[in-house]
Amino acid sequence: MPEIKVTPLGAGQDVGRSCILVSIGGKNVMLDCGMHMGYNDDRRFPDFSYITQNGRLTEFLDCVIISHFHLDHCGALPYMSEMVGFDGPIYMTHPTKAICPILLEDYRKITVDKKGETNFFTSQMIKDCMKKVVAVNLHQTVQVDDELEIKAYYAGHVLGAAMFQIKVGSESVVYTGDYNMTPDRHLGAAWIDKCRPDLLITESTYATTIRDSKRCRERDFLKKVHESVEKGGKVLIPVFALGRAQELCILLETFWERMNLKAPIYFSTGLTEKANHYYKLFITWTNQKIRKTFVQRNMFEFKHIKAFDRAFADNPGPMVVFATPGMLHAGQSLQIFRKWAGNEKNMVIMPGYCVQGTVGHKILSGQRKLEMEGRQTLEVKMQVEYMSFSAHADAKGIMQLIRQAEPRNVLLVHGEAKKMEFLKQKIEQEFRIQCYMPFNGETATIATNPNIPVDISLGLLKKESALIGLVPEAKKPRLMHGTLIMKDNSLRLVSPEQALKEIGLSEHQLRFTCRVHIQDSHKEQETVLRIYNHLRSILKDRSVQHMPDGSIMVESILLQVSTSSDDPGTKDLLISWTYQDEELGSFLTSVLKKGLPQGTS
C-alpha cells in the first residue's frame, strides 16, 4: 500500500529549528530549514546526519521549500546548502527571497562578528545559497520534475509567508509553515481551498490557546504603554524586524496622532528602512485596506517613529523603543534590556512567543535574577508584560484550517508536547481522522489510498441503467463493466463496442467451455427437463429458459446435453459462457458436478 513518511529533524514536539523531511511517491522534500534560538552550539541546527552520514544532500533530496523568512524556518539554509552540501532547487515566495538574505546576514554579524563563534556560514555562503532559490507566485503550480509539483497559498503571519501543497500523482501533502487565520492591520488571513490532501502538516504553537478579541488586546497594550510613559518610564518592545513590528508601529502611530503625545518612539536602525522598502515593494501581499490607501498615504512611513541610536538609551525621560530581536536572545533588544532592567518605572512588553532558553522566556516564566554572560547577575525590577500579538493561529484557527482543507490525516509540528497532545485528541474526536505528533528523529508513516479518477462515457451509463435500473447514489459504490482506455494521461471507461470503434478493431466473441459428466439413466430429453427444473429451483432471481432446440439458457450461459457413446447411463453436459459471466459459469459448473438430486422430474 502506498504511504507517506514524515520525519521532523527539528520542530518535532518543539518550537524552533523547523525542518521536516517528507517522503511521498518516491520523492524526498525538505520543508523549512530553520535554527533554534535557544542554543548557541551545534544543537541550533537540525540534525542532518539523519539523512546523510558523510555525503551531500543533493543525492537524497529532490527539493527544499521555505515557508517564510523567520530564522527558525530559514536560519540553517546556508549551513545546509553550502556546508553540508545541497545543489538542488530551493523554493520560496518573492518577498521571502528578498528578505531572507538580509536577516541571515544580520544574524551572522551578531553570531560571528560580535560573539566570535566559529562553525558558522559566511557572507559568501549566504549569496551562493540564494543563487539556488527559485521564487514562486501564489496559486502557481510549479513542476519540480515530471512527477513532483508544488503550489503556494497565502498564510498571513508575515510578509510573503506561504503554505505549500506538495503533489506526486494522486498523493498530496499540505505544509502550513506558520500561519494566521485572523486578518490584522497590515496582512490578510490565511486561505486554502478544499484540496483534501492525504496529510496536513500544521504548526501548533498555540495549540491550547483561544485568544480574546484583537481589539481588547490592542486597547490593553496602548493603555499600558501610555500609563508607563505618563509616569516617566521607558518602554522596551522586543520585536523581529518584519511582521509584528509593523503591526504595532501602525497601532502606536495612530494612537500618538490621536492623543497628541510627545514622548519619542524609536525603532532599531538599519532594518526599519529596509523593512519599509520591502513592504512598499510587495504591497500586493498586504491587506485590502493598506492596498486601497497606499496611493494617498503609505502606512509604513511614520511621522512619530524615528530611527534609534544606541546613545538614546541613556537619555532621561520617557520613550518607547522597538528593538530587535524579539526573544531578547541577542542584539540591541538585549543591550537595552540590560540597561533598563534595574528601574521599576520601566517596562518590557513581550508581544510574541519566546523559545525556551532565551532571556524572553526566562522573564516571562517569572525569573527576576538572570545569569548573563561573564557570570554577571542581572536583577530585573522593571515591569514585565506579555501581550500576545503573535501572528500564529490559535486552537480555533487550527481547527478552522482543518475544516477548510478537509485532510485525511493531520500531523502536528512546531509546538510543545503537552499542548500538542490536547489538540491531537480534540482533532481526532471532532474530525474522526488520525492525528500524529512525532518527536525529532521519529518517523510517522501514513498509509494512503490513492484515488484514480476515471471518466465514464454517457453511452455506458445509459446502457447500465437500462440493464439494472440504475439510480445513481453518490455514496454507494457500484460495479461497472466496460473497457478502460488510457490516452494522454487520462482514463476513460467506455462500452466494448465504442472501444472497438475508436481503436478500429472487429469484435471476437470469447467463450469458456466446460464438460461435466452426469450419471442419469433417463432419456436425453428427460435429463434436460430435470436439469432445467433443478436450476429454476436454485436460481429464482435469474432468467432460466428451455430452448426449442433442447438446450438450456441461463442468462447468456448455454447448456447442452448429449448421451455418452460408451455408457448410455452417463450424460455429457456442455456448459459455455462469456468472460462477463465467469462467476455464474463457475457456479453452475460446481452445482452440476454434484449431480442431480433424487426426485427431480
Side-chain angles (χ1 to χ4, degrees):
M1 190 179 241
E3 56 190 25
I4 294 168
K5 289 189 172 183
V6 182
T7 311
L9 304 185
Q13 299 186 14
D14 184 21
V15 177
R17 197 178 40 192
S18 281
C19 187
I20 321 293
L21 199 62
V22 172
S23 295
I24 173 172
K27 304 287 174 185
N28 295 313
V29 179
M30 184 184 281
L31 303 170
D32 280 335
C33 188
M35 51 159 300
H36 204 295
M37 303 293 188
Y39 297 117
N40 289 323
D41 51 24
D42 286 348
R43 289 175 297 171
R44 63 157 72 100
F45 296 130
D47 184 6
F48 298 116
S49 67
Y50 180 88
I51 308 172
T52 171
Q53 294 302 317
N54 43 20
R56 291 168 68 76
L57 295 170
T58 313
E59 284 69 52
F60 181 79
L61 290 174
D62 291 280
C63 74
V64 173
I65 294 170
I66 301 295
S67 63
H68 63 291
F69 58 65
H70 278 158
L71 292 174
D72 60 331
H73 292 260
C74 73
L77 197 55
Y79 175 82
M80 185 273 302
S81 73
E82 307 312 305
M83 293 170 82
V84 181
F86 176 70
D87 299 320
I90 300 166
Y91 294 95
M92 55 180 79
T93 64
H94 289 275
T96 306
K97 186 185 176 183
I99 297 160
C100 199
I102 297 163
L103 298 186
L104 287 168
E105 178 54 29
D106 194 53
Y107 189 72
R108 188 204 64 79
K109 277 181 189 163
I110 291 170
T111 311
V112 179
D113 298 353
K114 289 189 182 166
K115 291 187 183 174
E117 286 188 36
T118 52
N119 193 28
F120 210 78
F121 47 81
T122 62
S123 290
Q124 190 55 47
M125 284 178 184
I126 297 172
K127 287 172 190 160
D128 293 341
C129 166
M130 294 314 289
K131 285 174 189 166
K132 297 168 187 175
V133 171
V134 180
V136 300
N137 296 314
L138 288 177
H139 311 297
Q140 171 197 359
T141 300
V142 177
Q143 210 68 43
V144 177
D145 59 29
D146 291 344
E147 295 164 321
L148 174 63
E149 62 178 52
I150 63 169
K151 188 179 185 178
Y153 291 94
Y154 190 78
H157 188 63
V158 289
L159 190 71
M163 302 189 259
F164 280 87
Q165 183 183 36
I166 301 105
K167 246 180 135 176
V168 180
S170 64
E171 293 178 284
S172 67
V173 168
V174 167
Y175 172 60
T176 66
D178 292 348
Y179 63 101
N180 191 5
M181 293 301 282
T182 47
D184 55 31
R185 282 169 187 269
H186 76 297
L187 295 173
W191 182 86
I192 195 164
D193 54 23
K194 213 174 273 301
C195 52
R196 298 188 176 96
D198 292 296
L199 177 66
L200 174 74
I201 302 172
T202 173
E203 65 131 318
S204 50
T205 320
Y206 290 105
T208 55
T209 310
I210 293 180
R211 282 197 290 265
D212 53 0
S213 90
K214 212 161 126 292
R215 193 157 287 180
C216 292
R217 269 177 287 144
E218 288 179 349
R219 203 168 48 234
D220 287 353
F221 169 76
L222 294 170
K223 188 180 170 207
K224 286 197 164 77
V225 172
H226 192 195
E227 281 173 1
S228 186
V229 166
E230 287 288 287
K231 289 174 190 164
K234 294 174 168 62
V235 181
L236 171 64
I237 305 167
V239 286
F240 288 104
L242 291 116
R244 294 313 85 201
Q246 280 67 32
E247 184 73 6
L248 296 174
C249 281
I250 294 170
L251 186 59
L252 276 186
E253 173 81 6
T254 47
F255 183 70
W256 248 239
E257 185 82 23
R258 196 172 74 236
M259 301 294 287
N260 196 21
L261 298 175
K262 296 289 178 266
I265 306 173
Y266 298 114
F267 199 117
S268 291
T269 41
L271 279 171
T272 331
E273 294 84 62
K274 279 179 183 165
N276 291 341
H277 167 70
Y278 285 114
Y279 272 98
K280 286 179 219 170
L281 191 61
F282 299 112
I283 198 79
T284 53
W285 286 76
T286 59
N287 67 21
Q288 223 172 341
K289 188 182 173 188
I290 285 186
R291 289 203 301 272
K292 268 184 186 171
T293 58
F294 186 68
V295 184
Q296 298 94 33
R297 177 177 174 245
N298 177 6
M299 292 283 274
F300 300 108
E301 278 170 2
F302 304 115
K303 191 171 120 188
H304 297 275
I305 301 168
K306 304 281 183 282
F308 180 74
D309 184 292
R310 69 180 59 183
F312 294 174
D314 299 318
N315 286 0
M319 68 177 78
V320 179
V321 177
F322 287 97
T324 58
M327 297 186 191
L328 289 178
H329 56 278
Q332 207 161 46
S333 61
L334 186 57
Q335 287 167 19
I336 299 168
F337 173 75
R338 288 169 108 157
K339 280 189 176 179
W340 294 357
N343 188 337
E344 58 266 15
K345 263 190 189 177
N346 299 338
M347 179 186 283
V348 59
I349 298 177
M350 305 300 294
Y353 186 87
C354 289
V355 167
Q356 211 160 353
T358 59
V359 171
H361 186 274
K362 287 171 187 169
I363 60 168
L364 286 177
S365 305
Q367 250 180 273
R368 289 296 173 262
K369 284 193 178 170
L370 304 172
E371 200 176 301
M372 309 304 276
E373 282 168 25
R375 301 227 165 161
Q376 290 175 307
T377 303
L378 180 68
E379 197 172 345
V380 181
K381 289 181 180 172
M382 73 194 304
Q383 294 171 68
V384 177
E385 296 286 347
Y386 172 68
M387 308 197 83
S388 178
F389 284 94
S390 181
H392 290 272
D394 61 0
K396 204 164 138 192
I398 296 166
M399 300 299 268
Q400 191 184 333
L401 187 84
I402 296 170
R403 234 168 265 122
Q404 221 168 296
E406 287 189 5
R408 294 185 182 93
N409 300 275
V410 172
L411 187 140
L412 303 176
V413 292
H414 200 285
E416 294 162 27
K418 277 183 186 171
K419 293 177 181 178
M420 276 181 167
E421 189 58 59
F422 174 82
L423 184 63
K424 176 183 186 289
Q425 287 173 6
K426 199 168 156 52
I427 289 167
E428 288 178 339
Q429 265 172 10
E430 189 163 327
F431 298 104
R432 308 243 173 261
I433 54 176
Q434 277 286 124
C435 186
Y436 304 82
M437 44 173 283
F439 51 81
N440 288 336
E442 181 191 4
T443 300
T445 304
I446 295 97
T448 60
N449 296 316
N451 293 323
I452 302 169
V454 175
D455 291 328
I456 299 177
S457 75
L458 191 61
L460 184 64
L461 278 171
K462 283 179 177 174
K463 188 179 166 187
E464 286 282 320
S465 60
L467 276 172
I468 47 175
L470 181 73
V471 178
E473 280 182 61
K475 290 183 181 176
K476 196 176 177 188
R478 188 175 286 279
L479 189 68
M480 291 190 84
H481 291 286
T483 305
L484 195 63
I485 296 179
M486 295 174 73
K487 193 179 177 184
D488 302 330
N489 288 335
S490 67
L491 295 171
R492 282 187 308 131
L493 191 68
V494 299
S495 64
E497 299 80 31
Q498 191 181 333
L500 289 166
K501 200 175 170 185
E502 283 185 27
I503 300 163
L505 294 174
S506 52
E507 187 177 358
H508 296 271
Q509 185 70 265
L510 181 69
R511 293 187 77 86
F512 299 94
T513 304
C514 181
R515 199 178 288 276
V516 176
H517 302 297
I518 293 180
Q519 294 300 315
D520 191 71
S521 54
H522 293 82
K523 287 179 182 174
E524 215 169 270
Q525 291 87 337
E526 287 176 24
T527 303
V528 170
L529 206 58
R530 291 184 72 208
I531 292 168
Y532 170 69
N533 289 331
H534 177 47
L535 293 179
R536 276 188 64 190
S537 69
I538 59 171
L539 297 170
K540 290 188 170 67
D541 56 344
R542 299 275 185 178
S543 164
V544 183
Q545 297 173 59
H546 188 183
M547 308 306 284
D549 64 354
S551 62
I552 298 168
M553 290 292 288
V554 179
E555 304 286 348
S556 71
I557 298 170
L558 178 69
L559 292 92
Q560 287 177 316
V561 178
S562 61
T563 307
S564 172
S565 53
D566 301 334
D567 177 12
T570 302
K571 301 289 184 288
D572 290 336
L573 181 57
L574 204 70
I575 308 167
S576 167
W577 65 87
T578 61
Y579 76 94
Q580 288 99 327
D581 284 323
E582 167 68 33
E583 209 176 316
L584 184 58
S586 301
F587 173 71
L588 289 178
T589 307
S590 63
V591 165
L592 293 167
K593 272 181 179 174
K594 292 172 187 170
L596 295 171
Q598 294 301 314
T600 308
S601 57

